[in-house]
Amino acid sequence: EATAFLACAPVVHMVGTALDGTPILKTIHAVVVEGLLCFHSSPVGEKTSLVGREVVVSAEEIVAEVPSYFMDPERACPATTLYRSIQVHGTLEEVTDRQEKARVLQALMIRFQPEGRHVPITADHPLYRAAVQGLLVAKVSLERMDGKAKLAQNRKPAERQQLLEQLWQRGRPQDAQAVELIRRAN
C-alpha cells in the first residue's frame, strides 16, 4: 500500500545535506520503477550534490480535516486531520545506463502525461539521444520505506460510523474518497 501511495503521490519531497552539512530540501516529480523511486533533474545544481549521499524522500496526503463538532457538539478536542504519509530512507544514486535512464524518463511521461501524444522515449531515438545523455536521472531504493495512515483506526466502531456519516453529509469533493479510504483501512 505504501508503494502504491508513493507511486501516485502528486508531490514528493527529498531532503539531504550538502557536503558542508547545509540541509537541502527539494520537491521532485517522481515515479516508481522496478522497486526504485526515480526522478530526473538538471545535471548541475543542488540535487546533483546529493548523489552518493543519504536522503529522505517523503510524500503525504491530507485525507480529511475533521472538525470537532463531527464527534462532539461542544468540545474542541475531537478535531483532527486524517492523512496518509510515507518516508523512504536511502542513498541517492545516479542512473548511468542509457537504457535504464530512458525507461525512467518514459515512465515519468506515462505518469504525468498519461494521454501520450508524444513519441515514446528510448535511449537511441534521435529525438531523445541528447536528452537521455544530458539529464541527471537518479534513484533511491525502496528497501527502507515506512508508511503511516491515520484513518480513524483509534476510533470505536460507532464513532467511525458517525465520522463516515458526517463526511458523507458534508459532501466536499474529497470526502467520498475519504469515506472509502477509512472503510478500507478499518
Side-chain angles (χ1 to χ4, degrees), residues 64-163:
E65 293 172 340
V66 179
S68 62
Y69 57 83
F70 272 20
M71 305 308 292
D72 189 293
E74 296 175 352
R75 294 178 339 141
C77 299
T80 192
T81 301
L82 305 179
Y83 64 90
R84 298 188 299 172
S85 66
I86 185 166
Q87 285 191 346
V88 176
H89 301 257
T91 302
L92 186 65
E93 299 177 49
E94 181 176 3
V95 175
T96 56
D97 179 80
R98 292 176 43 77
Q99 302 300 327
E100 186 179 356
K101 286 175 77 170
R103 276 194 306 279
V104 169
L105 294 171
Q106 181 59 26
L108 283 161
M109 288 304 297
I110 291 168
R111 164 99 199 279
F112 292 103
Q113 189 175 311
E115 70 275 15
R117 298 181 67 165
H118 70 282
V119 174
I121 299 173
T122 61
D124 298 320
H125 195 288
L127 288 174
Y128 302 119
R129 218 175 291 143
V132 169
Q133 182 64 34
L135 285 172
L136 168 70
V137 174
K139 63 185 178 181
V140 178
S141 171
L142 298 181
E143 288 180 29
R144 292 178 25 218
M145 174 173 53
D146 52 272
K148 182 175 181 181
K150 181 181 177 188
L151 296 170
Q153 304 94 311
N154 61 326
R155 300 286 185 175
K156 295 175 182 156
E159 292 173 326
R160 262 195 306 276
Q161 182 64 34
Q162 180 180 349
L163 173 60

Side-chain angles (χ1 to χ4, degrees), residues 55-67:
V55 295
V56 178
V57 179
S58 71
E60 63 280 328
E61 172 190 34
I62 302 298
V63 172
E65 293 172 340
V66 179

